[in-house]
Each structure stands twice: as C-alpha cells, then as structure tokens.
Amino acid sequence: EVQLVESGGGLVQPGGSLRLSCAASGFRFSGYWMSWVRQAPGKGPEWVANIKEDGSAQNYVDSVRGRFTISRDNAQNSLYLQMNSLRDEDTAVYYCVRNEAWGQGTVVTVSS
Amino acid sequence: DIQMTQSPSTLSASVGDRVTITCRTSQNINDWLAWYQQKPGKAPKLLIYAASRSESGVPSRFSGSGSGTEFTLTISSLQPDDFATYYCHQYNRNFGGGTKVEIK
C-alpha cells in the first residue's frame, strides 16, 4: 500500500523559511516523479513543484520559482520542499503526491 | 506548459440527473489523469485514476473516460451526497479549474 507521510509544517513569519519532508513507503520510490501540491483556505488545489525520478529535473509553478526548492533522497525514500522567503499567500495545506496518491498533508501558516 | 480546461465551472442539476464534466488538455497526456471530489473543509477525495479506473469504494455511478487530450467524468444518477466541487488533475502537474455541482 502506498503511504506518503508529510511533516515539517508550522507557523512562520513572512520572509521566513520552512522545510517540508515526505516519507514514502509501499512502492519503489526511485521509479516515480513526485510532486508537492497545496491547497489554500477556500481555494482549489494547486500544483507547486515536481521532480524527476532521479532528481535530475524539477519544475515549479511561477509563484514559487526562485523561492522554493524541491529535492529527493532515493536512498531514504524521502521527498523535500525547502521554502524560503515565505509570503502570506503561501499559507496552505501542503501535500506530497505520487500520481493519484496523496499524503494527509501538513499545514503551513505564514503570518506575523 | 500543458493547459487544463475544465468545463463547466458551475453546473446546476437535480437528484437523479446524469451529469458530465469535461477536462481538455493542450497536449496529449495519455491516460495520466485523475478526478477528485471535494467538499468544503475536506481534503480532495480520489474518484477516478488513470482516466477511467475507479478507486476502491467509490460508487459505481461515477465513471471516467477519455485519453489523449479529452476526458470526461460522468455521474450516472446524481445523489444528494454528490453535490460538491470536482477537479481533474494531470499527474504531477496542473489541475483543472473545478466544477461546482449545485442543486437546481
């Protein structure tokens, strides 16, 4: 069974940083593109970033490019999202996603 | 970047109606598409994956079809619990804009 477990969310001030982690199990992690998806309060889900199976390519939504970095450690079956220069509008639940499989999400709140 | 166009954005229907929601992509995505149902305050719920495969436990009135650039979610007979917002999602990339199914 595919399991994706996010951690690392919390309350941070504007301009601050957070690092999200996702522990994957139940499938061959190194064989899949992985993504981060977020959902802000009252809004639809938004794809944030993805990373190729071997980590050699990454893509980002325009609103986070240059501020967020997606990475992975295939030896540890782990996905990461380093979020810098956080803004109020980054407040959301962040999900680790493999194709149609989602984790339970971790809440990020950016507020002073 | 592949564009996702979901229609309609809002749909008014009655219990028992057949409902169809369409998602079009600007490039061929094979069958790499999922459909989700979302209710206020809840996480999205997977209905359909790989364009046409039903997630375990999802009522049989929900079905998905299509491949390439055009995809459809059909609810064969709308039930009271189905009034919600529906999203299509290209694997590891963009979402459609959503379709809110309202009571007529």
Side-chain angles (χ1 to χ4, degrees):
Chain A
E1 180 192 359
V2 173
Q3 281 208 309
L4 301 165
V5 180
E6 302 93 337
S7 61
L11 173 64
V12 61
Q13 292 189 336
S17 298
L18 275 179
R19 188 191 196 212
L20 306 184
S21 299
C22 170
S25 61
F27 65 101
R28 187 172 65 90
F29 182 71
S30 61
Y32 290 86
W33 281 77
M34 296 293 298
S35 293
W36 288 97
V37 167
R38 67 184 179 184
Q39 187 160 29
K43 299 284 187 66
E46 177 184 42
W47 167 79
V48 174
N50 65 22
I51 186 167
K52 196 175 178 181
E53 296 95 333
D54 62 0
S56 63
Q58 307 87 29
N59 298 288
Y60 300 90
V61 68
D62 287 348
S63 59
V64 309
R65 189 174 293 114
R67 300 188 298 123
F68 290 11
T69 302
I70 188 172
S71 62
R72 64 192 296 163
D73 183 340
N74 286 345
Q76 298 293 323
N77 292 336
S78 294
L79 179 72
Y80 305 101
L81 186 68
Q82 177 67 44
M83 304 187 296
N84 298 330
S85 303
L86 282 160
R87 305 169 180 168
D88 291 351
E89 55 265 34
D90 296 318
T91 293
V93 180
Y94 285 73
Y95 297 94
C96 171
V97 176
R98 186 213 83 172
N99 293 350
E100 74 283 344
W102 295 40
Q104 86 290 349
T106 187
V107 178
V108 171
T109 304
V110 184
S111 175
S112 54
Chain B
D1 210 16
I2 297 176
Q3 304 305 312
M4 309 279 290
T5 304
Q6 185 175 340
S7 61
S9 56
T10 306
L11 188 160
S12 294
S14 302
V15 172
D17 283 353
R18 182 181 181 88
V19 166
T20 299
I21 299 169
T22 298
C23 189
R24 292 185 174 87
T25 61
S26 59
Q27 296 177 40
N28 183 355
I29 62 167
N30 299 301
D31 64 351
W32 301 333
L33 185 116
W35 289 97
Y36 296 88
Q37 178 194 69
Q38 189 167 34
K39 296 183 179 180
K42 301 290 189 181
K45 175 187 174 183
L46 177 66
L47 300 174
I48 303 290
Y49 65 97
S52 62
R53 300 189 178 192
S54 293
E55 173 70 348
S56 176
V58 171
S60 59
R61 62 183 180 273
F62 291 94
S63 64
S65 64
S67 67
T69 62
E70 187 155 338
F71 303 87
T72 300
L73 174 71
T74 300
I75 309 173
S76 60
S77 177
L78 198 65
Q79 298 302 301
D81 191 48
D82 301 339
F83 292 97
T85 301
Y86 294 83
Y87 296 96
C88 59
H89 178 217
Q90 176 197 354
Y91 284 178
N92 292 305
R93 205 70 187 226
N94 298 321
F95 289 83
T99 296
K100 186 174 183 180
V101 177
E102 299 179 326
I103 300 173
K104 191 172 186 179

